[in-house]
Amino acid sequence: MTITLTNPAGLPETGIYHQVSVATGSKLVHIAGQVAWDADGSTVGEGDLTAQTERCYLNIGAALAGVGASFDDVVKLTVYVVDWTPDQMPSLLAGISGAKAKLGTDAAPPASLLGVAALDVPEHLIEIEATAVLA
């Protein structure tokens, strides 16, 4: 495998993601921020952070599969949530769990979560971008 995920001593273990990823490989894959669009460009789960989070992950999974990769190849996720507050965490985690079950993965690469004022269209509550490394 080209990715090693770790939680070095002195850093907390979150259970949601690892603190560090070490990647060795020859292809770096950057996936554009994925939003809750289906294949036809229609918004999925309007007003529902759980449904939109799941859809973002599924879209990332499709993008990864399109280049011969999977979530096991992801070295970093960046998550943008409109008007983020900590009380939204259960909805976010439920969406991630649902997507991971559908994708058959338990990958937990390093991740950053940022609250933002708005995204591309008012219907989108979340956008997630990914970076992967392939051998």
Side-chain angles (χ1 to χ4, degrees):
M1 177 178 276
T2 61
I3 310 295
T4 302
L5 301 176
T6 185
N7 289 307
L11 296 175
E13 291 192 27
T14 67
I16 302 169
Y17 60 88
H18 287 84
Q19 296 288 352
V20 176
S21 65
V22 178
T24 56
S26 59
K27 282 187 190 176
L28 187 58
V29 180
H30 295 275
I31 297 174
Q34 296 299 303
V35 293
W37 278 332
D38 63 15
D40 296 323
S42 298
T43 298
V44 173
E46 192 167 335
D48 183 344
L49 181 60
T50 298
Q52 288 199 15
T53 301
E54 182 174 305
R55 187 64 204 202
C56 290
Y57 263 73
L58 295 176
N59 288 350
I60 291 169
L64 290 165
V67 296
S70 73
F71 263 91
D72 290 334
D73 300 303
V74 173
V75 295
K76 177 76 167 74
L77 294 170
T78 304
V79 180
Y80 305 91
V81 181
V82 174
D83 297 327
W84 173 257
T85 57
D87 65 315
Q88 294 171 294
M89 187 62 81
S91 296
L92 180 74
L93 295 177
I96 293 169
S97 293
K100 284 183 171 186
K102 288 181 179 177
L103 293 166
T105 185
D106 63 353
S112 295
L113 171 63
L114 297 101
V116 297
L119 291 171
D120 58 332
V121 296
E123 296 82 24
H124 291 158
L125 304 175
I126 185 168
E127 181 170 327
I128 306 173
E129 61 186 27
T131 303
V133 173
L134 303 179

